[in-house]
Amino acid sequence: MKPDYVRPLDLRQGRIDLNHGAGGRAMTQLIEELFARALANDYLGQGDDGAVLPAPAPGERLVLATDAHVVSPLFFPGGDIGALAVHGTINDVAVMGARPLYLTASFILEEGFPLADLARIVHSMAAAAHAAGVPVVTGDTKVVEQGKGDGVFISTTGLGALPAGRKLGGALARPGDAVLVSGSLGEHGMAILAQRESLAFESAIVSDSAALHGLIDALLAAVPGVRVLRDPTRGGLATTLNEIARQSGVGMQLDEAAIPVSAQVAAACELLGLDPLYLANEGKLVAICAPEDAEAALAALRAHPLGRAAARIGEVTADPQHFVQLRTTFGGQRLLDWLSGEPLPRIC
């Protein structure tokens, strides 16, 4: 036996212990045998405390976004916390109109967590980053005592490049603008709830977790003048539109019949007394554009696999009270207020 022999990590039966976050040999072994192998790229391979990255093209600006992920359960239909951490942060950068370039990842691990589950999460994260073309270039790992965490928490930060002259933001909506969504709503929130509560529906509801930068590229290529993009995550469509209405100093008028909600999510919401307009989405987009651009924007969204069910759901109104109102299928009016409380905690 070689004098410096170290037994490989037992990725089938092993568990995280405090030594994996202590900065010594065990932590180095965890990083080298799991994280570095799964997430391998030239920048991560530098092996230093930070990644040295090329500067963006002249005239481009940088967009930086960060997000923490504490979803429970860690694995759910359509994804897991690893892929979700990649998709969520890429989307936060992309809705600013930027091209996502790099990610960082920080893991908080609980003592006793199975290495097999951690490996599954890290490999899922690597696959999502590879598919999106956005590498994880640096990261960190910490371990907390058993009972002081909940398996795995992941924080990710994304860096993107914003082309010269491009301007989008929540304060840019104008009365008369069209409000669009890229697809059916509420699937992520309902998928998490069903998995958490062991609810069995006739058809499985799958999370819509996805990276949206390709869809956004197609949209902005067709309609460069899109004013607002936002991914309706926590709080769902209703809360997202309230945020935009307040930022822009406008109101919104929506048409309930035009809002896409799958039959499975609608039935589950009716059974559980939930409103799909307040459920989280992790692969959907809200876009606001001038009314004359709406058809071109819809065509661009529907031509992409992630936007086939895109719909025009309403318009921006002049309203000093910034109300978001819904024209119901029965012909009445309903106020869509901000989300009050948290009906589904730890959704992302």
Side-chain angles (χ1 to χ4, degrees), residues 11 33-34 37-39 118-128:
L11 291 176
E33 295 186 18
L34 179 55
R37 287 182 186 176
L39 299 167
L118 179 60
R120 184 178 166 192
I121 290 168
V122 174
H123 283 284
S124 174
M125 192 172 195

Side-chain angles (χ1 to χ4, degrees), residues 188-253:
H188 178 73
M190 190 53 69
I192 295 290
L193 178 62
Q195 182 76 2
R196 187 184 297 170
E197 304 300 333
S198 300
L199 301 175
F201 299 110
E202 188 170 329
S203 299
I205 298 174
V206 177
S207 169
D208 61 346
S209 181
L212 293 171
H213 56 317
L215 178 69
I216 291 172
D217 283 347
L219 173 61
L220 294 179
V223 183
V226 168
R227 304 196 212 278
V228 184
L229 295 176
R230 194 67 62 84
D231 52 337
T233 54
R234 283 177 298 170
L237 176 72
T239 300
T240 296
L241 292 182
N242 272 283
E243 292 171 354
I244 296 170
R246 187 175 68 171
Q247 280 183 269
S248 293
V250 297
M252 305 274 180
Q253 176 66 60

Side-chain angles (χ1 to χ4, degrees), residues 70-76 81 150 192-193 196 345-348:
V70 297
V71 64
S72 176
L74 298 173
F75 303 96
F76 48 84
I81 190 172
D150 194 6
I192 295 290
L193 178 62
R196 187 184 297 170
R346 298 189 56 186
I347 207 74
C348 59

